[in-house]
Amino acid sequence: MTEVTKEQVLAELKRIAAPDGRGNIVSAGLVTDIVINEGQVMFALNVDPQHLKTMEQLQVFVQKAIAALPGVKKATVALTAERAPTREVGPKVSSTQTLKNGVPGVKHLIAVASGKGGVGKSTTAINLALALKSLGLRVGVLDADVYGPSMPKLFGLHGKPEASDATGKRMKPMQRFGVEVASIGFLVDEDTPMIWRGPMVMSALTQLLREVAWSEMDVMVIDMPPGTGDAQLTLAQQTPLSGAVIVSTPQDLALIDARKGINMFKKVNVPLLGIIENMSYFICDKCNKRHEIFGHGGAKAEAARLGVPFLGEVPLDLKLRERSDSGEPIVATEPDSPHTLNYQNMARQVWASLEGGALTKPAPNIVFEN
Ligand code: ADP
């Protein structure tokens, strides 16, 4: 059987009327990029959250129509509330539409973001979340890094989440170190092509926020997908965030990216809780000297220039990496280490910004020694 082409899929979609009766769903701009992979056809329909019911019916109809085309092995049609980023972005108007009153029982949603990948965003997110927890707060972690969901691994969690009730409509969050965890990796197949991931991130995140049986909590830390593309902008715009933390390495290039990240949140009026400089310097275990391999201090200077709080710096440390990668995050497993105190310091500042100085215990002086 020859594989169906994009043109054939489009032709079929053009035969389906748009819900408002004006033209078809393609001309109405409802259909996102179509991805075809070995007979598997995937795309999303842009949804106006106010008409979710109609759109769900349309989704089923469209999926059936495409699945019936010759050369189609499987059709996957998702709903997305993504909007074109060229649209004017204003004060959280669309977030109130998508996730109206935030997430019931969750006091603050905060994003941990980075302008590019590989700077230690996820490592920072998990340790910051655990540090918030260690301060006595109720904490959850939502892994929204659709390009490389790593929270289950960093938490040392295996398997899939269980259904929370007999209907199977909601799932239980997973739990470790007293923190509730859910990952976009539970919803996105590992084989899903990268190009398809951006458009589906908002609907997957909305699903995780709404359909996971989260407990009441003070802070939910969202590990964002790295970068500042359309998908990230949509997330920043449509999620009712209390604030964002930007992670950057001291390298110039990363800082330029970090600045883009900062601008993205500014543009959609999400408060910036601060910048964390990761892999800031390195203490050699042989000579015990501090090596500033990436030209340390860049993020601090940049934060001051941009008027964004500088939360602190995290050294490059093999132990941090080993702990993180083996599912034993340092804050949970070494509560008295200087790293833990460092993350707790940053967590205190974050919470103080969120709540106006509710946790004001004086911060200890932290000395890293090897
Ligand atoms: P991102 O989420 O930005 O892609 P990760 O948190 O996955 O980055 O980190 C990338 C790699 O760098 C991981 O192997 C992680 O363990 C390691 N890493 C992150 N921060 C540090 C650090 N401060 N010291 C040593 N290794 C680190």
Side-chain angles (χ1 to χ4, degrees):
M1 186 162 63
T2 46
E3 188 179 271
V4 70
T5 64
K6 216 168 172 169
E7 289 67 37
Q8 287 166 328
V9 172
L10 268 174
E12 183 66 18
L13 293 173
K14 282 182 187 159
R15 290 156 47 113
I16 301 173
D20 62 4
R22 275 182 265 165
N24 61 64
I25 57 173
V26 178
S27 64
L30 295 188
V31 179
T32 67
D33 273 348
I34 299 169
V35 177
I36 302 178
N37 190 16
E38 294 179 359
Q40 198 179 348
V41 181
M42 296 175 279
F43 56 90
L45 296 174
N46 263 317
V47 174
D48 177 347
Q50 285 173 346
H51 300 122
L52 203 57
K53 238 336 357 87
T54 328
M55 292 306 285
E56 279 170 356
Q57 287 161 3
L58 184 69
Q59 176 191 26
V60 174
F61 182 81
V62 170
Q63 192 154 307
K64 274 193 186 147
I66 299 305
L69 285 178
V72 175
K73 277 200 198 127
K74 189 176 169 200
T76 310
V77 180
L79 293 182
T80 169
E82 188 178 8
R83 282 159 198 284
T86 43
R87 206 171 157 269
E88 198 182 319
V89 279
K92 296 205 196 164
V93 175
S94 6
S95 63
T96 50
Q97 283 172 357
T98 330
L99 289 160
K100 252 196 172 112
N101 302 312
V103 184
V106 178
K107 205 162 174 196
H108 296 289
L109 286 169
I110 66 168
V112 175
S114 62
K116 66 168 200 167
V119 301
K121 172 182 55 60
S122 304
T123 306
T124 307
I126 188 172
N127 283 302
L128 192 64
L130 289 163
L132 286 161
K133 164 81 195 154
S134 74
L135 299 179
L137 298 167
R138 297 162 302 171
V139 180
V141 172
L142 204 164
D143 181 5
D145 187 351
V146 75
Y147 303 111
S150 57
M151 278 305 161
K153 180 178 152 227
L154 297 186
F155 270 100
L157 288 165
H158 304 282
K160 292 268 171 191
E162 295 166 22
S164 80
D165 57 28
T167 65
K169 281 208 176 127
R170 280 161 73 82
M171 57 177 135
K172 277 191 200 159
M174 295 179 109
Q175 194 147 19
R176 186 106 204 265
F177 309 120
V179 169
E180 292 186 346
V181 188
S183 172
I184 213 157
F186 300 156
L187 304 178
V188 180
D189 209 314
E190 273 175 31
D191 301 332
T192 307
M194 283 295 163
I195 173 180
W196 171 243
R197 294 183 181 224
M200 71 194 300
V201 65
M202 192 62 218
S203 51
L205 180 78
T206 309
Q207 200 178 335
L208 285 177
L209 287 172
R210 284 202 183 127
E211 291 171 19
V212 171
W214 298 103
S215 306
E216 282 198 4
M217 63 179 76
D218 300 298
V219 187
M220 181 177 288
V221 176
I222 303 185
D223 186 14
M224 295 274 287
T228 49
D230 296 355
Q232 290 83 349
L233 181 61
T234 310
L235 271 192
Q237 186 187 3
Q238 301 197 352
T239 315
L241 295 168
S242 296
V245 172
I246 307 284
V247 182
S248 173
T249 63
Q251 287 146 293
D252 268 343
L253 193 64
L255 282 179
I256 291 168
D257 290 314
R259 215 173 305 154
K260 283 191 204 155
I262 289 169
N263 287 336
M264 178 177 84
F265 286 107
K266 278 192 173 163
K267 204 162 146 188
V268 294
N269 294 333
V270 171
L272 284 150
L273 301 168
I275 299 183
I276 294 176
E277 185 175 84
N278 188 40
M279 310 191 199
S280 185
Y281 55 89
F282 170 66
I283 300 170
C284 170
D285 54 1
K286 296 212 171 59
C287 66
N288 229 8
K289 277 199 195 129
R290 179 168 160 145
H291 298 274
E292 301 189 340
I293 31 185
F294 296 131
H296 162 250
K300 190 170 188 174
E302 185 62 18
R305 215 178 61 73
L306 295 166
V308 174
F310 182 72
L311 297 176
E313 48 197 40
V314 179
L316 184 74
D317 188 331
L318 192 61
K319 196 168 178 187
L320 240 175
R321 180 193 196 110
E322 285 167 354
R323 287 281 157 148
S324 202
D325 294 349
S326 64
E328 306 260 296
I330 201 144
V331 172
T333 54
E334 290 194 30
D336 300 322
S337 86
H339 286 298
T340 302
L341 299 181
N342 190 28
Y343 282 115
Q344 283 171 333
N345 245 344
M346 299 191 273
R348 255 187 219 102
Q349 295 175 64
V350 166
W351 184 247
S353 303
L354 292 171
E355 289 276 305
L359 287 170
T360 45
K361 237 169 80 182
N365 207 7
I366 296 148
V367 182
F368 286 96
E369 281 167 11
N370 272 38

